[in-house]
Amino acid sequence: MNPENFLFCGNWIVTGNSVILCSLPNSCKEHGVNPKEWQNDVVGKRPYYLAPKFNKNLKELFLDIWRK
């Protein structure tokens, strides 16, 4: 393993998570969604979407579907 490939994050897992988090604002902009508005909404709804008793589909939180 080459240390330069860690993007100064320390390990591969953290590097992968950092890449995902850094790409979210750009994905929001490409879909015409306000990144802060989407993030606040998703973070607030996430517990309900993960609980089996609510029977929610996580795909509803995807940018292209959430925008509608």
Side-chain angles (χ1 to χ4, degrees), residues 50-68:
L50 295 178
K53 65 181 178 182
F54 290 109
N55 197 24
K56 298 275 190 176
N57 188 350
L58 277 173
K59 290 183 179 181
E60 295 174 10
L61 301 178
F62 289 178
L63 286 168
D64 52 347
I65 298 171
W66 180 87
R67 180 182 56 182
K68 299 174 186 177

Side-chain angles (χ1 to χ4, degrees), residues 5 7 21 23 25 37 41 45-46 60 65:
N5 294 333
L7 293 173
L21 289 175
S23 69
E37 184 181 336
D41 189 53
K45 289 180 178 176
R46 189 171 175 267
E60 295 174 10
I65 298 171

Side-chain angles (χ1 to χ4, degrees), residues 18-36:
S18 298
V19 169
I20 291 169
L21 289 175
C22 291
S23 69
L24 284 174
N26 288 329
S27 296
C28 287
K29 290 177 184 176
E30 286 182 19
H31 284 90
V33 171
N34 180 337
K36 286 185 179 181

